[in-house]
Amino acid sequence: MGELKTVPQSKQSQQHLYAPGHSGCPGCGPSNALIQVCDTLGKDIIVVNATGCMEITSSQYPQTAWRVPYIHSLFENAPAVASGIARALKAQGNDHTKVVVIAGDGSTYDIGFGALSGMLERQENVLYVCYDNQLYANTGVQKSGATPYGAATTTTSVGSVHRGKETERKPIAEIIAAHGVKYVASASIAYYADLQMKLNKARAVQGPSFVVIDAPCCLGAGFDGGITYKVAKLNVATRLWFLYEIENGKYKLNFNPANPKPVKEYLELQKRFKHLDAQQIEHIQKWADNEYNELLVKSGQAPGQKPPVAPP
Ligand SMILES: Cc1ncc(C[n+]2csc(CCOP(=O)(O)OP(=O)(O)O)c2C)c(N)n1
């Protein structure tokens, strides 16, 4: 067994704790999420990475993109492994190193959810970060519990009977918050300052905390890797994705798009939505409007309540 090596870096890229040289697609949203997460949280973390694209593309022996301590585990036990590491640190009297799970939506919403739920219920001192690309990328674009209504994947096909995914995605932030988690946040790769604020808050929590990051997959959703940030921004601008926090059960909408764009502008950029008919687009628009109105009420920002907050 040789030593693990990082790939050669330019001086500038050496500043990142998630290094270039990984094999993520050009324009990969999740890889960008990892750069932002590692640079924000700094070196004093231990990453526990569940299976998925971000494991495969970051850590092919003998190379690694991680400049922080890193362990890969399975879907079924990443939160359990993280729990064990957090308890070992506590036993050592280490109260500064943060254990961070990094997992995709397939891992978080579906395959590893049992272990995640147990970790939350036991109130383990772990920060859980989900990079949400809305599908199982690594195994060839199957649907996940995060895949939105209408999207075509290899398991939500499009033909004369079926027209993409027929159900909505799971409300993961609410599901996590229902476990009594003190800090839950929804963020996006396209809003770095907002994400930094959320990661820093989540890191400071004693006990479990959770941040889900919208991180579009150009290959799986079918758009050019040069417009990943445009797609991510439009997800927020159309109100199909929200930047918000649930802190000790209290909702706060961090960015309230003053002039929302029609959902069509987000959908039409992606091949996975090309088949949608007018009725389906109308269904998605209604979903966005309803979610927005509900979030406004929950966060005390509906008309007649408090005024909207300024954009980050
Ligand atoms: C228990 C188990 N089920 C299924 C798989 C196959 N598998 C490997 S990666 C993957 C997709 C993971 O999706 P996600 O967590 O969203 O990460 P992404 O690949 O999108 O980064 C699947 C289904 C597996 N390795 N283990």
Side-chain angles (χ1 to χ4, degrees), residues 107-127:
S107 179
T108 306
Y109 290 60
D110 304 333
I111 315 171
F113 183 75
L116 168 58
S117 179
M119 184 195 96
L120 303 176
E121 185 259 336
R122 292 191 309 274
Q123 293 287 307
E124 304 286 357
N125 189 18
V126 174
L127 162 53

Side-chain angles (χ1 to χ4, degrees), residues 30 50-57 72 74-76 103-112 130-144 146 217:
T51 304
C53 258
M54 290 306 96
E55 164 242 336
I56 296 293
T57 58
H72 162 240
L74 307 176
F75 286 119
E76 300 90 324
D105 49 286
S107 179
T108 306
Y109 290 60
D110 304 333
I111 315 171
C130 171
Y131 64 90
D132 190 343
N133 60 5
Q134 305 194 331
L135 44 87
Y136 296 3
N138 187 49
T139 36
V141 193
Q142 293 82 27
K143 77 111 189 145
S144 80
C217 172

Side-chain angles (χ1 to χ4, degrees), residues 27 32 67 78 101 114 146 148 152 191 199 223 250 254 272 280 288:
N32 277 274
R67 291 186 168 128
V101 174
Y191 292 85
L199 288 168
F223 59 83
K250 281 196 174 166
N254 307 102
R272 63 177 174 159
Q280 286 178 297

